[in-house]
Amino acid sequence: MSATPKRNRAGRRVLVAGAAFATVGALVAAMPAGAAGQSARHGHGHGHGHGHGHGWGRTVDVQLLSFNDLHGNLEPPAGSSGQVTRTHADGTTEKIDAGGVEYLATHLRQARKGNRYSVTAAAGDLIGASPLLSGLFHDEPTINALNRLDLDVTSVGNHEFDEGARELSRIQNGGCHPTGGCYVKGKKFKGADFPYLAANVTKEKTGKPLLDPYFIWEKNGVRIGFIGVTLEGTPNIVTAEGVKGLKFGDEVETINKYTKVLERKGVKSIVALIHEGGAPASSSYNYDCDSPGQGDGISGPITEIAKHVSPQVDALVTGHTHQAYVCTIPDPAGKPRLVTSAASYGKLYTDTTLTYDRRTKDIVRTSVASANHVVTRDVPKAADMTKLIEDWRTLSAPIANRPQGYIATDINGRGSTAYEKPLGDLIADAQLEGLAPADKGGAQLALMNPGGIRSDLVYAASGSEGDGVVTYGEAFTVQPFTNMMNVVDLSGANLLAALKQQVSGANAASVKILQVSGGLTYTLDMTKSGADRVVDGSVMLNGEAIDPSKSYRVAMNEFLAGGGDGFPALAAGTNKLVGASDLDLFNAYLTAHSSASAPLAAPAADRITVVQ
């Protein structure tokens, strides 16, 4: 592949002189030159303009449309994963079905109408952990859809590294998959015609940026710079192979560094695309994040990032936590600054107005306005997206439609807000059963990371399979990583330490409660703080207290076995046996324990006693 910047099909990207970041080293043939970081794309030019002076006065309104964490959800997400909550003026709430790229395309295209200056940006995790329709084809369908959506720029997220740096390069630059080949006869995958930004991701050997650090959008002299970063902790939540040879820098330091670079190039209007986020006090998408009541507002990593990012940055588009918010957080100069996130799975998009002053070349911060909008399913489907989905669905159908088992009701996983999720119990039980035989590892218990559960099992049919039937495609959507399972010897002391790491250390601010197999029970007291939340003496296996000096055979996926998700105690395991994949064990369990006449019920989710 060429190491020169790729021209997109619409010919909207042009180069700005003075490229300063050459990409060299072992991946030079696979990676785009950092010179592309100095590129600019002209706006889409939708409609005839509505800003001050119709775009030609001193100030002009630039529309910024943004979203995040799509995760390859081309079809409308099923069950609770495909809903958002709206709070009405009287305090009542309403669940709204949302998402689906056919509807997202229609909403974005309608939003652009009448806006002479419109730019569309995203904040990472657009691919990875995707349903089968996209994941089976290494997310080529999603990139094709995003190209048609006229996405201008995105930051990388942690899931863009699921298959490593070389695969991310292929996603950016195109080419057929090294093992999967070309999926459509006679057609070579062309890659993303928008730049992926990874300003804080460098190659360990050279220190050079892996991908473009920034991007300059330009139309009729209006210039806005975008800097893209992923969370510094990406190596803790991605398999070691996925981030091999890469270094992830501090988000604030990186954004501030490239803010100065853009300023030297005369770009004073800057938006940071950050794949890190926060947690608003309410799960409603229309929650007033700036309401002054006790306990209101937003918490989480993005709050500290926002307080330290250079005041020259005018807005922060964020992601990762799958939450919806439009907040203002004071910048280092004490002035309010916009911070947004549009939930996940294409259920929302954010519409922000940035008023650009042609004389100062900066955004008039006091005029910034923003709101999240629901991607409702009551609008016409975008015909080009419907055809795209149908074409890929035809290719995937022989695998996707194969029945795996039967359920009697919804079994919630991703859509559950409880610490212990019914689907988490089911997955852990499947892992224990498959790896309990002596020749399979002799597992005594199984642990599952909650972030690895990507959806719910929904009773209603997704196609022609019939209600209650779980297809291979639906099971894949729940467990899309196809992680290999490990069984290891783990001391009781390390097992207890791992349970305490759910609520302390790296997970203190945002707890990660492991899903546990039947027979493992304990009490989680959330009125306490840190590691004390796991009540000493309460952890039992089949009614017997865990003995710190005893060794236990524990089943978990390879990600957890490597200490991922902030569980270093799990990496202390020895005598490792590698078993089948998590998806294979899940499907085998569904087949063995359900039939049309005896479908699976939802587990009681009563293994962890929670005190609140």
Side-chain angles (χ1 to χ4, degrees):
M1 299 175 195
S2 171
T4 58
K6 191 181 74 170
R7 309 276 178 172
N8 67 28
R9 272 162 272 173
R12 291 172 299 196
R13 186 187 295 183
V14 298
L15 292 181
V16 176
F21 303 99
T23 305
V24 297
L27 299 181
V28 67
M31 298 298 167
Q38 327 305 320
S39 63
R41 175 180 295 173
H42 294 294
H44 298 295
H46 300 276
H48 300 289
H50 80 290
H52 302 286
H54 298 284
W56 296 106
R58 172 170 169 176
T59 61
V60 56
D61 285 349
V62 178
Q63 179 190 56
L64 171 61
L65 301 175
S66 58
F67 57 93
N68 51 276
D69 295 274
L70 180 64
H71 289 289
N73 278 264
L74 300 179
E75 297 175 292
S80 58
S81 295
Q83 294 180 325
V84 295
T85 301
R86 173 187 290 158
T87 298
H88 297 289
D90 61 2
T92 60
T93 60
E94 173 190 9
K95 295 285 188 181
I96 305 169
D97 291 335
V101 75
E102 295 161 293
Y103 304 109
L104 177 61
T106 297
H107 279 279
L108 291 179
R109 290 165 183 171
Q110 289 179 347
R112 290 175 185 141
K113 288 181 179 178
N115 288 281
R116 182 183 180 88
Y117 295 83
S118 183
V119 56
T120 304
D125 274 9
L126 302 183
I127 60 173
S130 304
L132 185 111
L133 182 66
S134 186
L136 186 64
F137 306 105
H138 298 275
D139 281 312
E140 291 181 19
T142 296
I143 297 300
N144 289 343
L146 293 169
N147 288 344
R148 297 183 187 188
L149 277 179
D150 285 333
L151 180 64
D152 285 288
V153 60
T154 184
S155 68
V156 294
N158 52 286
H159 282 285
E160 265 82 16
F161 293 92
D162 283 347
E163 295 189 50
R166 287 190 180 276
E167 174 62 5
L168 177 54
S169 170
R170 188 185 75 88
I171 290 294
Q172 177 73 86
N173 292 322
C176 297
H177 192 269
T179 58
C182 294
Y183 297 112
V184 181
K185 187 176 181 180
K187 289 187 178 180
K188 180 181 177 181
F189 175 57
K190 295 182 179 180
D193 68 5
F194 51 89
Y196 262 109
L197 305 182
N200 66 330
V201 186
T202 55
K203 287 177 278 187
E204 288 181 344
K205 288 185 178 179
T206 66
K208 299 295 183 180
L210 177 71
L211 294 171
D212 300 346
Y214 62 84
F215 166 80
I216 301 168
W217 178 88
E218 181 176 8
K219 182 175 181 180
N220 296 331
V222 175
R223 304 173 80 204
I224 298 177
F226 291 86
I227 302 167
V229 299
T230 186
L231 69 156
E232 184 181 10
T234 291
N236 298 325
I237 53 175
V238 175
T239 58
E241 191 63 27
V243 295
K244 186 177 181 180
L246 302 177
K247 182 178 179 181
F248 292 77
D250 179 86
E251 303 96 333
V252 172
E253 290 178 6
T254 304
I255 294 169
N256 291 348
K257 169 185 174 181
Y258 285 108
T259 295
K260 293 178 181 177
V261 172
L262 287 169
E263 286 183 287
R264 286 197 296 268
K265 292 182 173 295
V267 178
K268 297 181 180 180
S269 298
I270 301 171
V271 175
L273 307 175
I274 309 174
H275 190 72
E276 178 60 290
S282 169
S283 60
S284 294
Y285 83 89
N286 61 333
Y287 165 64
D288 181 1
C289 199
D290 294 334
S291 55
Q294 185 176 2
D296 281 340
I298 185 171
S299 59
I302 198 61
T303 58
E304 286 304 307
I305 291 173
K307 290 175 184 176
H308 294 91
V309 163
S310 168
Q312 187 59 47
V313 175
D314 298 295
L316 279 59
V317 175
T318 73
H320 187 57
T321 57
H322 291 204
Q323 301 296 307
Y325 48 84
V326 175
C327 304
T328 56
I329 299 175
D331 67 16
K335 296 180 179 179
R337 178 167 54 194
L338 186 69
V339 181
T340 72
S341 176
S344 63
Y345 298 174
K347 294 179 289 188
L348 300 174
Y349 71 91
T350 311
D351 190 337
T352 302
T353 299
L354 301 173
T355 299
Y356 182 91
D357 187 321
R358 288 183 180 276
R359 190 171 73 181
T360 66
K361 300 181 181 179
D362 207 349
I363 299 300
V364 182
R365 190 90 73 78
T366 54
S367 298
V368 173
S370 184
N372 275 328
H373 299 273
V374 182
V375 178
T376 59
R377 301 176 190 170
D378 58 359
V379 297
K381 296 180 180 180
D384 58 335
M385 295 300 174
T386 300
K387 184 178 187 308
L388 180 147
I389 288 172
E390 289 176 349
D391 287 348
W392 288 104
R393 189 183 285 152
T394 299
L395 288 176
S396 67
I399 296 173
N401 297 338
R402 194 167 65 225
Q404 298 297 314
Y406 302 84
I407 55 175
T409 185
D410 288 356
I411 303 179
N412 287 338
R414 194 74 182 184
S416 170
T417 58
Y419 292 126
E420 181 183 356
K421 307 173 189 304
L423 189 50
D425 286 1
L426 183 64
I427 290 170
D429 286 350
Q431 294 175 354
L432 176 60
E433 179 171 291
L435 299 173
D439 63 336
K440 302 295 184 183
Q444 297 169 273
L445 66 134
L447 304 173
M448 173 65 192
N449 56 309
I453 305 169
R454 305 306 300 185
S455 185
D456 303 331
L457 282 183
V458 179
Y459 177 78
S462 59
S464 60
E465 75 276 9
D467 291 346
V469 178
V470 180
T471 65
Y472 183 90
E474 291 166 338
F476 184 98
T477 298
V478 170
Q479 295 259 266
F481 298 111
T482 318
N483 276 316
M484 301 309 293
M485 293 299 300
N486 291 179
V487 185
V488 299
D489 285 343
L490 199 68
S491 70
N494 278 320
L495 177 58
L496 293 171
L499 294 178
K500 288 181 179 292
Q501 286 166 359
Q502 299 176 114
V503 289
S504 63
N507 295 323
S510 180
V511 302
K512 291 189 178 74
I513 305 303
L514 296 166
Q515 308 298 286
V516 299
S517 55
L520 185 67
T521 59
Y522 68 95
T523 298
L524 188 65
D525 187 348
M526 296 305 290
T527 67
K528 297 181 179 179
S529 62
D532 290 340
R533 288 172 167 175
V534 176
V535 177
D536 288 337
S538 70
V539 186
M540 315 280 276
L541 180 60
N542 301 321
E544 294 186 7
I546 294 294
D547 184 345
S549 63
K550 187 177 177 181
S551 180
Y552 297 86
R553 291 293 283 171
V554 182
M556 64 191 101
N557 60 48
E558 58 188 342
F559 172 62
L560 278 179
D565 260 357
F567 292 100
L570 296 180
T574 58
N575 297 324
K576 179 172 70 175
L577 184 145
V578 179
S581 75
D582 51 8
L583 180 60
D584 286 344
L585 293 179
F586 185 49
N587 282 328
Y589 189 88
L590 290 171
T591 299
H593 291 274
S594 67
S595 65
S597 59
L600 271 173
D606 56 1
R607 299 164 191 180
I608 305 173
T609 300
V610 180
V611 178
Q612 290 182 311

